[in-house]
């Protein structure tokens, strides 16, 4: 028997939930027909919804014993929902998906095929279009991926999504990252493993409204940059060096300008010394920043390495 856990974070999703449930059960029944060894559990997370989401969970749990749920005491955000779902899932495979059917359950059979023989550890969708999204939002989204991939060691594929079909091994690796400021796109990528990206056209939310405002997304992207890069801490050093170089340029330029005009050389000295002082200060701040960056990495207590396979896995696979 192989258990697939479907983790669904929900915030005010009363309108789509019945449709989502119908769709996911249809797809999983189809998969069970083709692979009789499969079992399913649906693990819904109520992220402090203010509508009837929790009541719908209860109704579903009453009529279907595959349905499990966790209801948060308040809204903790989607990232916490994903974490709670992964932590409490029991499956050999775990799927993370949105409730609004923007992550079509119809992908699951194909995703399972990629993952089941160990060819891949994770199958995920990648948006190749951003239809139904405003031009400004797309522009900033692209800009975010550009900046992120420049300044961070963790590569994040443009259009990557939180719709993931993962092996237990990958889920356990993700859970080893116990940081509280969670940026899933970065975490999924940081843990590595073989990932199959399946291109697809963006679909619009079936009902209800998105809970992301532009401002919310902006804050979230800063969160991502801060969680996966210490580059901003190095900015002070660059500015400091720039300021020091400027003071030297002013001193040299002053020699020529004061020779051909009646501006006194001491004026150049006083301007240059201002730049020199702030340059030294900025450099020192930057050095502090470097140590802080190292401390930041320590505090997060991320695993030092993650093994993809060992001889034990290999032996149990070939049945030795
Ligand atoms: N969500 C959540 N907590 C929140 C916000 C959203 O659990 O605070 C869930 C939401 O119910 C949905 C998924 O996260 O299942 C994606 O949210 P949404 O569709 O609003 O985001 P978008 O698709 O616009 O990025
Ligand atoms: Mg959505």
């Amino acid at each position: 028997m192989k258990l697939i856990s479907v983790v669904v974070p929900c915030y005010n999703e009363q309108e789509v939930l019945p449709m989502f449930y119908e769709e996911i059960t249809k797809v999983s029944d189809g998969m069970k027909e083709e692979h009789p060894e499969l079992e399913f559990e649906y693990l819904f997370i109520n992220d402090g919804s203010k509508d009837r989401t929790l009541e719908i969970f209860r109704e579903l749990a009453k009529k279907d014993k595959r349905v499990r749920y966790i209801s948060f005491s308040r809204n903790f955000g989607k990232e916490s929902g994903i974490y709670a779902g992964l932590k409490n899932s029991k499956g050999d495979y775990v799927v993370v998906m949105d409730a609004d059917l923007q992550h079509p359950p119809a992908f699951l059979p194909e995703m399972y095929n990629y993952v089941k023989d160990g060819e891949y550890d994770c199958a995920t969708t990648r948006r190749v279009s951003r239809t139904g999204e405003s031009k400004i939002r797309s522009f900033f989204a692209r800009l975010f991926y550009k900046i992120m991939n420049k300044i961070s060691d963790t590569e994040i594929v443009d259009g990557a999504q939180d719709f993931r079909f993962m092996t237990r091994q990958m889920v356990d690796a993700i859970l080893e990252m116990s940081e509280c400021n969670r940026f899933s796109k970065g975490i999924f990528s940081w843990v590595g493993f073989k990932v199959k990206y399946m291109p697809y056209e963006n679909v619009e939310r079936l009902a209800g409204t998105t809970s992301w405002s532009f401002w919310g997304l902006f804050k979230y992207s800063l969160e991502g940059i801060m969680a996966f890069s210490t580059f901003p801490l190095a900015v002070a050093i660059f500015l400091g060096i720039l300021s020091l170089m400027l003071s030297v340029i002013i001193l040299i330029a002053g020699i020529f300008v004061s020779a051909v005009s009646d501006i006194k050389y001491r004026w150049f000295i006083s301007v240059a010394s201002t730049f020199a002082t702030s340059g030294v200060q900025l450099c020192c701040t930057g050095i502090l920043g470097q140590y802080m960056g190292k401390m930041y990495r320590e505090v997060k207590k991320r695993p030092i390495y993650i093994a993809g396979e060992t001889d034990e896995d290999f032996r149990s696979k070939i049945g030795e």
Side-chain angles (χ1 to χ4, degrees), residues 13 98 100 102 205 210:
E13 298 289 11
D98 288 359
D100 57 9
Q102 276 187 306
R205 184 180 244 287
T210 171

Side-chain angles (χ1 to χ4, degrees), residues 9-11 13 47 75 77-78 98-100 102 205 210-212:
C10 301
Y11 178 59
E13 298 289 11
D47 185 10
N75 180 256
K78 183 183 174 187
D98 288 359
D100 57 9
Q102 276 187 306
R205 184 180 244 287
T210 171
S211 39
W212 287 102

